[in-house]
Amino acid sequence: MNLLKKTGIRGHAILCVFIGLLVSVASSQAADKLEEEVHFLKLRMDLWKNNYRQLCKHFSNLALNCSAPVINCTECPDKWLHVGDQCFFLSTDRQNWSDSINKCKEIGGHLAILTTIEQHEAVEKEGRRIGGLYTNYWIGLSDIESEGEWKWVDKSDLKTPFWNALNSEPDNNLSGGADGEDCAVVDSYNQNWFDVPCSFSYPRICQKDATELL
Ligand SMILES: *[C@@H]1O[C@H](CO)[C@@H](O)[C@H](O)[C@H]1NC(C)=O
Ligand SMILES: *[C@@H]1O[C@H](CO)[C@@H](O)[C@H](O)[C@H]1NC(C)=O
Ligand SMILES: *[C@@H]1O[C@H](CO)[C@@H](O)[C@H](O)[C@H]1NC(C)=O
Ligand SMILES: *[C@@H]1O[C@H](CO)[C@@H](O)[C@H](O)[C@H]1NC(C)=O
């Protein structure tokens, strides 16, 4: 009786190991298949990009002759979002505001100057996608030079504000330090802006012009 019980348990253990082995083989096969598919899709995408380039050039040539609306055939670097004639990049690393300005310069851009709803929606969607529960991203807006006078990093005035009205932003709240809140983040869930201390660390949104397709 005792012996039987023992072998029964051993048989059970062997079965478990066997099942475990099967599951791990199956999941590594699934991973291989996924990788293959990603590779294949990338090839197809490159092909489509090429096609797009050619068609766009062709269209532009034709459009010149028949007063059709001219479109610019532009593109953004890998991993940048393409919105209109602009490209946007959302980082995952976090820096303070002035370091974020430099980080954007290092990749040939500037902190984002969000002037249209279309740009807003695109970066917020991407923010939700890559950020998960994380929501705040630096944009190139501050009143660092003169309290209450919000300016973009290219010195242009703020014309279309997207402040969070529910929380009466911007409120220059002093709870984060005596310097108040002179820099702005976009909240990708609330889809509007908050002023925060410039010394805080957030990921950033960089921006640059899309380049003409060659
Ligand atoms: C556009 O018009 C010019 C002159 O009318 C002609 O030489 C040229 O081939 C046309 N281009 C296309 C793409 O049709
Ligand atoms: C197309 O690009 C040119 C040069 O970059 C620019 O001057 C022009 O405004 C653009 N046109 C449109 C419709 O975006
Ligand atoms: C400033 O922030 C603190 C903490 O978040 C909050 O309790 C306080 O009400 C805020 N003050 C103003 C004026 O909004
Ligand atoms: C930002 O961080 C850098 C160090 O990475 C520091 O030297 C600089 O003083 C900080 N700036 C602000 C405004 O906090």
Side-chain angles (χ1 to χ4, degrees), residues 92-209:
T92 48
D93 64 298
R94 304 177 192 186
Q95 318 283 339
N96 64 32
W97 193 73
S98 49
D99 279 355
S100 300
I101 287 189
N102 294 333
K103 288 280 180 188
C104 286
K105 276 189 190 146
E106 279 169 20
I107 52 174
H110 54 80
L111 265 186
I113 298 175
L114 302 177
T115 52
T116 69
I117 299 261
E118 192 193 14
Q119 293 172 348
H120 248 269
E121 283 178 349
V123 297
E124 282 151 4
K125 189 170 168 206
E126 179 70 358
R128 292 193 296 274
R129 191 183 72 81
I130 68 168
L133 292 178
Y134 194 82
T135 58
N136 294 317
Y137 292 83
W138 285 128
I139 55 175
L141 183 69
S142 82
D143 69 344
I144 217 163
E145 277 173 14
S146 168
E147 179 56 38
E149 267 181 51
W150 290 88
K151 284 201 181 295
W152 292 109
V153 282
D154 67 353
K155 311 265 183 227
S156 60
D157 292 331
L158 171 56
K159 294 202 186 78
T160 321
F162 291 89
W163 294 113
N164 182 299
L166 209 62
N167 292 294
S168 317
E169 299 287 315
D171 62 359
N172 201 40
N173 195 320
L174 298 177
S175 66
D179 287 339
E181 303 184 315
D182 293 342
C183 295
V185 289
V186 59
D187 179 325
S188 56
Y189 278 87
N190 281 321
Q191 305 199 276
N192 45 36
W193 304 338
F194 289 76
D195 62 343
V196 292
C198 303
S199 57
F200 281 16
S201 285
Y202 292 105
R204 61 194 165 278
I205 304 176
C206 300
Q207 178 181 1
K208 61 177 162 185
D209 292 344

Side-chain angles (χ1 to χ4, degrees), residues 2 16 35 65 69 76 84 103 126 142 160 176:
N2 229 344
C16 280
E35 216 164 280
N65 272 14
C76 293
K103 288 280 180 188
E126 179 70 358
S142 82
T160 321

Side-chain angles (χ1 to χ4, degrees), residues 70 72 85 212:
V70 175
N72 276 340
D85 60 353
E212 299 277 327

Side-chain angles (χ1 to χ4, degrees), residues 9-29:
I9 288 170
R10 193 187 291 154
H12 191 70
I14 288 172
L15 192 65
C16 280
V17 168
F18 183 64
I19 289 172
L21 218 63
L22 272 184
V23 166
S24 79
V25 166
S27 70
S28 90
Q29 271 175 354

